[in-house]
């Protein structure tokens, strides 16, 4: 089955790429030429995502109430082409200590629409799934491959962004420490990465990502290379999105996984992909389906870590600022069967 899946994904990747480059957690890049902010401004924003999780593990079923995310930030312009963006994560369920911590904080100079220069802490410009704002994800969980291979998802560095949602072409390139948030850079090498997307038709966008760096602390020799391809298709009320990521070389589990995911052991080569479909039956009700796979070591046959998952659920939008999500996660192990399906429910409030 895995070989058939890979063939389908290779065919899909021929079409691949994305159009959204979100440095922070809002949809628009601060300081973009189409930003609604003008003049010296102070705009407070954020969102809460309280959640209930029920795990089908056999025997006494584990279940819990928690916050997926609880974020608050400030953004605005201070002088002509200079803008700022600052956000804190306050959820005790993300991060290693349970304390509030700095997530995004950067200053942007907009020379023009094709050269917005940002310096500070922000998302790595790699992967359509990672670039999608956290409060706009069609499913509660990001893809496994994005959480495991695009790590750290946030870092300190310098980036240049070009284009906006009205342009066919968008791009981003960045030079980053490669160590993640709250960690001092401890090698002399930097990570270089980039992402580009092109809207072939009004309804179809393709994109690609690249990263090359040195992820291991105090190590300037062992490198890492990552590639990604993605696509988005929108026609009427139907939405389809897919992505493939390949990663090889060194890695550092201490960098953590994206969105609080627990990192797994990786082989020399690893990959994964997902395909997501959604259909807006009404303005308020949107069923969603996602299939994904993740292989932490593609050189090992019948790898115990190989994972497939199907997510079935729906989104219900009360309005633009209130959303309910219900997802059933069917985890499929191909070597050893494990009872680890889950039912996740979440409400999101934006302000």
């Amino acid at each position: 089955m895995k070989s058939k899946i890979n063939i389908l994904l290779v065919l899909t990747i021929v079409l691949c790429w994305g159009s959204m480059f979100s440095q922070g957690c809002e949809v628009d890049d601060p300081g973009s030429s189409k930003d609604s902010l003008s003049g010296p401004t102070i705009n407070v924003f954020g969102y809460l995502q309280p959640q209930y999780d029920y795990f089908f593990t056999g025997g006494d079923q584990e279940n819990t109430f928690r916050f997926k995310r609880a974020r608050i930030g400030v953004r605005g312009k201070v002088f002509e082409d200079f803008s700022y963006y600052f956000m804190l994560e306050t959820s005790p369920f993300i991060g290693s200590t349970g304390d509030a911590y700095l997530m995004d904080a950067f200053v942007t100079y907009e020379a023009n629409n094709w050269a917005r220069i940002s310096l500070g802490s922000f998302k790595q410009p790699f992967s359509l799934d990672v670039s999608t704002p956290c409060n706009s994800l069609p499913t509660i969980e990001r893809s496994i491959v994005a959480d495991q291979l695009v790590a750290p998802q946030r870092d300190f560095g310098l980036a240049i962004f070009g284009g906006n949602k009205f342009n066919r072409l968008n791009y981003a390139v960045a030079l980053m420490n490669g160590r993640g948030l709250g960690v001092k850079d401890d090698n002399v090498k930097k990570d270089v990465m980039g992402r580009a997307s092109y809207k072939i038709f009004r309804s179809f966008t393709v994109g690609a990502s690249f990263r090359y760096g040195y992820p291991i602390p105090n190590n300037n020799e062992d490198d890492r290379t990552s590639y990604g391809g993605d696509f988005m298709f929108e026609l009427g009320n139907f939405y389809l999105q897919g992505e493939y990521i390949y990663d090889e070389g060194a890695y550092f589990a201490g960098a953590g996984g994206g969105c609080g995911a627990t990192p797994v052991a990786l082989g020399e080569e690893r990959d994964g992909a997902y395909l997501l479909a959604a259909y807006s039956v009404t303005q308020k009700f949107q069923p969603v389906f996602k299939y994904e796979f993740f292989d932490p070591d593609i050189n090992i046959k019948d790898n115990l870590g190989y994972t497939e998952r199907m997510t079935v659920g729906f989104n219900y939008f009360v309005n633009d600022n209130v959303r309910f999500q219900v997802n059933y996660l069917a985890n499929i192990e191909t070597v050893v069967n494990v009872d680890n399906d889950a039912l996740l429910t979440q409400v999101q409030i934006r302000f």
Side-chain angles (χ1 to χ4, degrees):
M1 180 177 182
K2 181 181 174 184
S3 61
K4 294 181 180 178
I5 292 167
N6 286 336
I7 292 173
L8 290 173
L9 286 167
V10 168
L11 293 175
T12 300
I13 299 311
V14 173
L15 304 173
C16 288
W17 297 31
S19 64
M20 193 178 298
F21 295 100
S22 180
Q23 291 163 264
C25 292
E26 289 293 274
V27 174
D28 296 328
D29 291 334
S32 70
S33 59
K34 298 300 179 182
D35 204 311
S36 58
L37 304 176
S38 60
T41 55
I42 298 177
N43 291 266
V44 179
F45 67 94
Y47 57 92
L48 302 175
Q49 292 179 336
Q51 184 169 315
Y52 174 71
D53 301 339
Y54 188 91
F55 299 94
F56 299 90
T57 54
D60 294 334
Q61 308 298 333
E62 179 185 350
N63 63 95
T64 184
F65 292 98
R66 66 189 181 98
F67 275 111
K68 179 66 173 180
R69 303 175 183 90
R71 297 179 179 175
I72 185 169
V74 181
R75 65 196 291 257
K77 286 189 175 180
V78 290
F79 177 73
E80 296 180 347
D81 299 323
F82 288 88
S83 63
Y84 65 92
Y85 185 107
F86 178 90
M87 172 167 275
L88 294 176
E89 172 62 76
T90 66
S91 170
F93 300 96
I94 296 181
S96 58
T97 65
D99 297 326
Y101 64 93
L102 177 68
M103 176 153 287
D104 298 314
F106 54 89
V107 173
T108 299
Y109 169 69
E110 184 180 1
N112 55 57
N113 179 53
W114 297 104
R116 299 190 304 278
I117 305 169
S118 295
L119 178 64
S121 166
F122 45 82
K123 282 184 180 180
Q124 293 190 0
F126 186 101
S127 164
L128 170 61
D129 200 21
V130 173
S131 298
T132 302
C134 308
N135 54 48
S136 298
L137 291 170
T139 56
I140 293 175
E141 297 290 339
R142 289 194 193 274
S143 63
I144 303 172
V145 65
D147 278 344
Q148 292 296 334
L149 298 188
V150 190
Q153 289 185 355
R154 282 177 163 83
D155 201 357
F156 293 90
L158 173 71
I160 302 177
F161 297 80
N164 57 50
K165 62 184 178 182
F166 300 102
N167 299 128
R168 285 182 178 271
L169 174 68
N170 280 251
Y171 79 89
V173 292
L175 188 67
M176 311 195 80
N177 284 342
R179 293 287 285 115
L181 295 179
V183 181
K184 182 180 178 182
D185 194 12
D186 51 11
N187 60 29
V188 300
K189 299 292 183 67
K190 295 290 178 287
D191 289 10
V192 59
M193 62 200 66
R195 175 169 159 72
S197 73
Y198 187 77
K199 187 177 294 185
I200 299 178
F201 308 110
R202 178 177 298 180
S203 59
F204 186 66
T205 303
V206 295
S209 303
F210 171 78
R211 176 181 62 184
Y212 179 78
Y214 298 81
I216 302 177
N218 301 307
N219 185 321
N220 299 305
E221 303 299 329
D222 297 320
D223 58 1
R224 178 181 194 172
T225 305
S226 310
Y227 304 94
D230 58 76
F231 76 93
M232 291 193 302
F233 176 76
E234 297 180 80
L235 183 62
N237 295 334
F238 178 71
Y239 177 83
L240 184 68
Q241 171 180 322
E243 183 168 14
Y244 171 82
I245 297 174
Y246 170 84
D247 183 49
E248 66 179 16
Y251 78 97
F252 177 54
C259 294
T262 301
V264 300
L266 302 177
E268 179 64 23
E269 297 178 87
R270 47 270 180 182
D271 70 351
Y274 67 88
L275 189 66
L276 183 149
Y279 184 81
S280 298
V281 178
T282 68
Q283 288 186 335
K284 293 182 178 293
F285 183 67
Q286 181 189 57
V288 296
F289 172 82
K290 180 168 70 174
Y291 167 79
E292 57 186 310
F293 82 87
F294 172 64
D295 192 340
D297 192 340
I298 65 178
N299 295 314
I300 297 180
K301 185 178 180 180
D302 297 328
N303 184 356
L304 289 175
Y306 176 78
T307 302
E308 295 179 28
R309 173 184 289 172
M310 288 190 294
T311 300
V312 180
F314 66 86
N315 300 317
Y316 184 81
F317 302 89
V318 178
N319 56 35
D320 290 341
N321 296 317
V322 182
R323 179 186 69 184
F324 292 93
Q325 288 184 291
V326 177
N327 286 179
Y328 183 85
L329 279 57
N331 295 304
I332 307 166
E333 291 78 21
T334 58
V335 180
V336 178
N337 187 43
V338 179
D339 293 328
N340 59 355
D341 289 0
L343 178 65
L344 311 181
T345 59
Q346 183 187 103
V347 58
Q348 174 180 279
I349 301 293
R350 294 180 59 188
F351 56 89

